[in-house]
Amino acid sequence: MKKVKKILLAIVPEYSLFPLVFAVLFNFTVYYGSRVIAGSWQHYNIESRFDDCIPFWPPSVVIYFGSYLFWIVNYILIARQGKKEVCQFFSCDFLSRTACFACYLLFPTTNTRPVVQSTGFFNQIMTFLYSIDAADNLFPSIHCLVSWLCYIGLRDRRDVPVWYRRGSCFMAILICVSTLTTKQHVIWDVAGGILLAQICFRLGKKQTVWRTYQKLTDKVYGVFFRKGTK
């Protein structure tokens, strides 16, 4: 455990360690926890006629899966900021997942997936994706939510090259598009994810919000790891 902590501390500051780890654990808890609770409930299909116009394109699954690497890199970069900025971002992250959890329970959604042919490399990857990820927990899209947070979390960072910030915006857009062309999500899911990211990012900058988050994480980290975080 000490070796793992030492490796992590070589990547991010100590004050970012708990927020970063907690964000990952809470994300999985929300996604799979809501599925356990509401998996057998009635789900609503909110596909629109615009979704029918979007082609199913299996090769875009590469971008869809590539999002995980994008998230890891950008969340680490965001976690390397000052403590105030870290608390602002991860309080936003916590609020966004809490809102997702509420949506997944109060308004469970699903969509219609295409029949995928068994031949072809990308078709096989799509089949694998569908086999491990049920058509639920769709609105808002966590894929789009996290990808947009990865962009706006670095958007104003002067210590990050302009080309990378612009590239993060482009990548976030590509990921959002890939959720549609893989038929993992519908337009409303994408719009909901991006809008939720914007709202929570603004809320996270409010002093009462991020200071409350800071106090809570400092207390929890102090109890489990050491006394205080200053």
Side-chain angles (χ1 to χ4, degrees):
M1 191 63 163
K2 290 184 178 179
K3 289 184 178 179
V4 174
K5 182 181 177 182
K6 187 176 181 180
I7 293 173
L8 290 174
L9 288 177
I11 300 173
V12 298
E14 186 170 2
Y15 55 74
S16 296
L17 189 57
F18 180 75
L20 187 59
V21 173
F22 177 73
V24 175
L25 295 177
F26 190 55
N27 182 75
F28 282 113
T29 300
V30 166
Y31 194 77
Y32 292 105
S34 59
R35 178 171 290 169
V36 170
I37 296 171
S40 61
W41 296 359
Q42 178 182 356
H43 285 58
Y44 303 91
N45 192 320
I46 56 174
E47 289 177 274
S48 68
R49 61 181 180 178
F50 297 106
D51 292 293
D52 295 332
C53 298
I54 298 174
F56 173 58
W57 192 48
S60 61
V61 72
V62 175
I63 298 174
Y64 187 88
F65 275 125
S67 62
Y68 293 98
L69 178 60
F70 175 61
W71 298 346
I72 291 171
V73 172
N74 278 38
Y75 264 59
I76 288 175
L77 289 174
I78 291 168
R80 291 171 66 88
Q81 299 180 97
K83 188 171 184 178
K84 174 183 175 181
E85 290 73 24
V86 167
C87 289
Q88 287 177 336
F89 179 82
F90 284 99
S91 62
C92 150
D93 188 83
F94 175 76
L95 290 174
S96 69
R97 296 315 188 285
T98 303
C100 285
F101 187 69
C103 288
Y104 297 156
L105 296 185
L106 296 174
F107 186 59
T109 57
T110 186
N111 69 349
T112 305
R113 287 177 167 176
V115 176
V116 183
Q117 297 180 359
S118 58
T119 57
F121 175 71
F122 295 115
N123 286 340
Q124 291 178 356
I125 299 179
M126 281 302 313
T127 300
F128 170 71
L129 173 59
Y130 286 171
S131 70
I132 63 173
D133 192 19
D136 58 12
N137 290 350
L138 302 184
F139 178 83
S141 165
I142 286 184
H143 238 77
C144 298
L145 165 70
V146 178
S147 298
W148 200 249
L149 285 178
C150 281
Y151 161 56
I152 60 178
L154 293 178
R155 182 174 52 194
D156 299 322
R157 286 277 301 277
R158 296 300 179 89
D159 58 324
V160 176
V162 174
W163 68 264
Y164 188 84
R165 285 181 276 162
R166 291 177 178 173
S168 292
C169 179
F170 182 66
M171 186 62 185
I173 293 172
L174 281 182
I175 292 170
C176 290
V177 172
S178 77
T179 66
L180 298 173
T181 54
T182 56
K183 298 300 178 178
Q184 280 288 90
H185 288 281
V186 299
I187 288 177
W188 287 116
D189 304 332
V190 175
I194 294 175
L195 180 61
L196 181 60
Q198 289 288 158
I199 292 173
C200 290
F201 190 71
R202 180 165 295 187
L203 289 175
K205 288 187 175 294
K206 291 186 176 296
Q207 187 167 336
T208 53
V209 175
W210 70 263
R211 282 199 177 278
T212 300
Y213 177 86
Q214 178 184 349
K215 291 177 182 178
L216 289 174
T217 53
D218 280 357
K219 185 173 294 186
V220 173
Y221 188 76
V223 169
F224 289 98
F225 296 96
R226 67 184 182 84
K227 296 180 179 179
T229 59
K230 296 181 179 180

